[in-house]
Amino acid sequence: MLKLKKNHHNLIPFSLCIVLAISTIACTDVKNKDRDKLVFRYNEHYNVATLDPAFARNPPIIWPTNQLFNGLVQQDDSLNIVPDIAKRWEVSEDAKTYIFYLREAVYFHKHAQFKTPDSTRKVVAADFTYSFDRLKDARVASPGSWVLSNVEHYEALNDSMFSITLKKPFPAFIGMLGMRYCSVVPKEITEFYGSDFRSNPIGTGPFKFKRWQEGVKLVLRKNELYFEKDKQGRQLPYMEAVAITFLPDKQSEFLQFAQGNLDFLNSLDPSYKDELLTPLGELKDKYDENVKVITGPFLNTEYIGFFLESKSEEVRSELLRRALNYGFDRQKMITYLRNGIGMPADAGFIPKGLPGYQANSGYEYNPGKASQLIDAYIKQTGNTSPSITIGTNSQYLDICEYIQRELGKINLHIDIDVMPPSTLRQLKSTGQLDAFRASWIADYPDAENYLSLYYSKNFTPNGPNYTHFKNTDYDSLYEHSFGITAITERQEIYRKMDSILIEKAPFVPLYYDEVIQFVHKDVHGLKPNPQNFLNLKRVYKGEKPAIPAKNGE
């Protein structure tokens, strides 16, 4: 079994660097501070491959494109679907046809190719027809074309009305339209640039493209034509600019944050987590004056899955799968291995934050019950030394070793096979692992996205059912849910499906993840998003912009 080695060589220099970095904050030039109040600055560890929303498949691309583009609808911070360019919409009785009514005054970012006196034009329904055609175009090869796979037809009814008809009802579809893939783009500009639209993006978003030195810095500027205002009538966005750097080293990122050169950190890296947080997950005193922690649910379920068509009789045994679920303390695992970040998985596969989640419906820590189930398996099979091998990558080795120790105490031997993430994904997808550590992050804000992993028609490699779980009652409920548009009714179906999964135990839920962000205390309006999508249009630093005077005042 592979053991990770800790590198002690950089500990002392890094600690000294932190002290020096903190001491320099007070020396920052006053002029720079005033100027920096207008700019939101963050770092991206990975190079951004494109700014074309048709390729916005991961957070490094989604974050900047979220500032540059809009779609028909958007999600608020509670995952409600709310208007974006569409001010309202109607759904037919058969739940297959959607008609969207567009706002009248949404303009594209200025560009000479519009060939109008003011170098821009209004968005019309035909722009969505073009954008969806482009999303489906095999020559474009967008990874998001699947979003429209259930769409039978779409068309511009006139300049302000856009219609979409589905092949079959799918209530979660409206949420999918909020994905960046479905952004509106102007035909004049995309055809002018061709593949170079990736580095010359023109959208309708709260910020517009300014410059991009790939791998070094990306700058966005305030869109003075943006259509949204806050409740008091202030023009959005509040900030004048967004500046993104591309430091790959997370220690360097932390030092830049400590010096005040970055406004926030989006994650807690092992290289500095003990510098920032106590073992219980609280901010250390020396950072409390200048830094605040923002947390919230993140739609990510971390779990161990079982391949139910495995040759291993232990993995095929429901008794042992349930024993593993009972056999370790999830709260202790979160406290000591995750610095208290995350929520112990007390329910099924649907994470906290989505309709269908039902608290305390899953497996609690009960080593006595786990031991009884293991004894029942031994009596049933005659196998006195049951063992299960779990495939994982090195990042989750500590969690797997903890489970290994706890289950070993009650006579269930756990082997751990550590491999690179790419190998783990490949073997998981091809059914070559008896058990595997995995995670599922929501593509769209509906529990159907999670429950689809256990629908029998979604067996890998043609779908996301990595466990090859099959249950007739589950399949029937899953198919029935498509015809239910009322979220409360659909929620009840989701709960029944999740209950079947809990009982049959094709997986071991470990924890429901949590968004954790560290920001300087002069940053306001930044809220955690359950899908961890960065939304900067309501963020400001220092004092909030003044409310505009009414006419005549």
Side-chain angles (χ1 to χ4, degrees):
M1 183 174 61
L2 178 65
K3 295 275 189 179
L4 294 180
K5 293 182 179 179
K6 293 185 178 178
N7 182 354
H8 298 284
H9 300 295
N10 293 328
L11 289 179
I12 294 177
F14 184 52
S15 300
L16 289 174
C17 286
I18 291 169
V19 173
L20 291 171
I22 294 170
S23 69
T24 63
I25 294 175
C27 302
T28 305
D29 184 81
V30 174
K31 272 187 182 179
N32 288 342
K33 277 191 173 182
D34 289 341
R35 185 186 65 214
D36 287 347
K37 283 184 178 179
L38 302 175
V39 183
F40 186 86
R41 303 154 304 171
Y42 77 88
N43 184 65
E44 176 54 62
H45 304 118
Y46 304 99
N47 281 335
V48 172
T50 177
L51 295 173
D52 185 338
F55 296 88
R57 65 186 304 169
N58 54 38
I61 304 172
I62 292 171
W63 281 23
T65 55
N66 222 27
Q67 320 314 319
L68 293 167
F69 296 94
N70 296 88
L72 290 165
V73 300
Q74 60 184 319
Q75 300 165 23
D76 65 15
D77 292 324
S78 300
L79 296 181
N80 299 306
I81 305 302
V82 296
D84 199 1
I85 292 178
K87 60 186 176 182
R88 64 185 178 90
W89 56 90
E90 298 169 354
V91 185
S92 63
E93 287 188 12
D94 64 2
K96 290 171 63 177
T97 299
Y98 297 74
I99 297 178
F100 296 90
Y101 297 84
L102 309 188
R103 299 178 193 266
E104 295 294 330
V106 179
Y107 290 86
F108 286 111
H109 302 154
K110 290 185 177 182
H111 194 283
Q113 283 301 311
F114 284 121
K115 302 187 186 306
T116 60
D118 49 3
S119 299
T120 185
R121 67 167 176 81
K122 288 183 180 181
V123 174
V124 294
D127 291 313
F128 281 98
T129 301
Y130 169 75
S131 299
F132 284 16
D133 285 346
R134 182 173 181 265
L135 188 63
K136 293 168 56 180
D137 191 336
R139 294 169 297 178
V140 175
S142 166
S145 60
W146 63 270
V147 173
L148 301 179
S149 61
N150 185 39
V151 173
E152 180 71 40
H153 179 67
Y154 51 83
E155 64 176 326
L157 302 179
N158 55 40
D159 280 354
S160 61
M161 294 173 64
F162 185 68
S163 171
I164 302 175
T165 300
L166 306 183
K167 297 174 184 176
K168 60 182 180 180
F170 186 50
F173 177 72
I174 188 72
M176 294 167 67
L177 291 176
M179 300 174 74
R180 275 287 63 84
Y181 291 135
C182 297
S183 300
V184 67
V185 296
K187 180 178 181 179
E188 304 97 307
I189 311 303
T190 57
E191 293 192 348
F192 174 74
Y193 283 113
S195 61
D196 286 336
F197 184 69
R198 63 175 289 280
S199 54
N200 295 276
I202 294 293
T204 57
F207 295 91
K208 58 186 178 181
F209 177 75
K210 178 63 176 178
R211 67 176 181 272
W212 182 19
Q213 186 179 357
E214 295 192 35
V216 180
K217 194 168 189 177
L218 170 62
V219 178
L220 312 178
R221 294 298 301 269
K222 179 176 183 174
N223 174 17
E224 67 279 3
L225 301 176
Y226 193 57
F227 62 91
E228 284 191 281
K229 296 182 179 181
D230 68 13
K231 292 180 180 179
Q232 287 74 40
R234 300 181 186 90
Q235 180 74 37
L236 297 177
Y238 300 137
M239 303 296 292
E240 288 293 327
V242 178
I244 307 165
T245 54
F246 296 92
L247 297 170
D249 180 64
K250 295 191 177 183
Q251 288 189 2
S252 298
E253 177 190 51
F254 177 77
L255 291 174
Q256 288 295 307
F257 176 74
Q259 289 175 323
N261 296 325
L262 295 175
D263 291 308
F264 93 138
L265 296 173
N266 180 54
S267 62
L268 187 66
D269 190 72
S271 66
Y272 56 74
K273 73 170 185 175
D274 294 330
E275 169 65 26
L276 265 177
L277 297 182
T278 68
L280 297 179
E282 298 173 352
L283 195 66
K284 286 189 174 179
D285 291 342
K286 62 181 174 180
Y287 293 102
D288 191 53
E289 184 178 348
N290 297 312
V291 176
K292 59 185 175 183
V293 183
I294 300 174
T295 60
F298 177 29
L299 299 186
N300 175 29
T301 298
E302 298 282 346
Y303 69 102
I304 293 171
F306 300 106
F307 183 60
L308 301 184
E309 294 183 346
S310 167
K311 294 179 181 179
S312 165
E313 66 174 14
E314 288 96 331
V315 166
R316 296 197 308 271
S317 170
E318 187 178 310
L319 292 169
L320 290 188
R321 298 198 305 270
R322 293 177 64 215
L324 211 160
N325 268 288
Y326 280 120
F328 65 101
D329 189 333
R330 291 169 173 82
Q331 181 60 65
K332 186 180 290 186
M333 176 186 73
I334 290 293
T335 300
Y336 294 106
L337 298 181
R338 297 264 308 161
N339 284 71
I341 298 167
M343 177 181 171
D346 63 348
F349 204 66
I350 301 172
K352 184 178 181 181
L354 274 183
Y357 165 78
Q358 40 190 345
N360 302 313
S361 61
Y363 292 89
E364 76 281 1
Y365 177 49
N366 190 336
K369 179 68 172 176
S371 185
Q372 290 175 11
L373 290 166
I374 293 169
D375 289 344
Y377 168 81
I378 292 172
K379 184 176 181 180
Q380 184 183 89
T381 65
N383 178 3
T384 59
S385 301
S387 67
I388 292 175
T389 300
I390 299 173
T392 185
N393 59 37
S394 59
Q395 185 179 354
Y396 294 87
L397 178 60
D398 56 350
I399 287 177
C400 291
E401 286 181 331
Y402 170 68
I403 294 172
Q404 180 186 53
R405 287 194 300 272
E406 295 302 296
L407 272 296
K409 296 174 183 176
I410 52 176
N411 200 29
L412 178 55
H413 181 74
I414 302 294
D415 287 313
I416 303 173
D417 189 2
V418 181
M419 61 194 72
S422 58
T423 304
L424 180 64
R425 286 193 296 270
Q426 179 185 1
L427 297 182
K428 176 185 71 173
S429 298
T430 53
Q432 297 182 63
L433 295 174
D434 294 336
F436 49 87
R437 203 290 318 165
S439 60
W440 188 260
I441 301 174
D443 293 311
Y444 45 90
D446 194 288
E448 181 277 334
N449 189 224
Y450 285 83
L451 299 173
S452 67
L453 268 71
Y454 302 96
Y455 181 49
S456 66
K457 293 182 181 179
N458 283 342
F459 277 12
T460 53
N462 300 316
N465 188 341
Y466 301 105
T467 63
H468 283 205
F469 174 79
K470 185 174 184 178
N471 180 279
T472 302
D473 291 338
Y474 184 92
D475 286 354
S476 178
L477 288 167
Y478 181 77
E479 291 167 359
H480 178 59
S481 71
F482 290 162
I484 307 298
T485 56
I487 185 60
T488 52
E489 292 181 44
R490 210 158 73 245
Q491 179 176 312
E492 192 56 39
I493 294 174
Y494 291 162
R495 285 176 173 167
K496 289 178 180 178
M497 294 168 67
D498 216 18
S499 295
I500 292 173
L501 295 176
I502 293 168
E503 178 188 355
K504 300 298 182 181
F507 57 83
V508 178
L510 300 172
Y511 60 91
Y512 309 123
D513 213 347
E514 198 172 37
V515 173
I516 181 165
Q517 298 170 340
F518 301 90
V519 299
H520 292 291
K521 286 192 173 179
D522 66 337
V523 176
H524 308 283
L526 187 66
K527 296 182 180 180
N529 180 289
Q531 288 191 271
N532 201 21
F533 292 164
L534 189 65
N535 188 339
L536 296 177
K537 60 189 172 187
R538 287 183 170 83
V539 172
Y540 62 96
K541 293 159 76 172
E543 295 184 4
K544 202 169 191 177
I547 298 175
K550 296 180 181 178
N551 291 336
E553 293 185 4

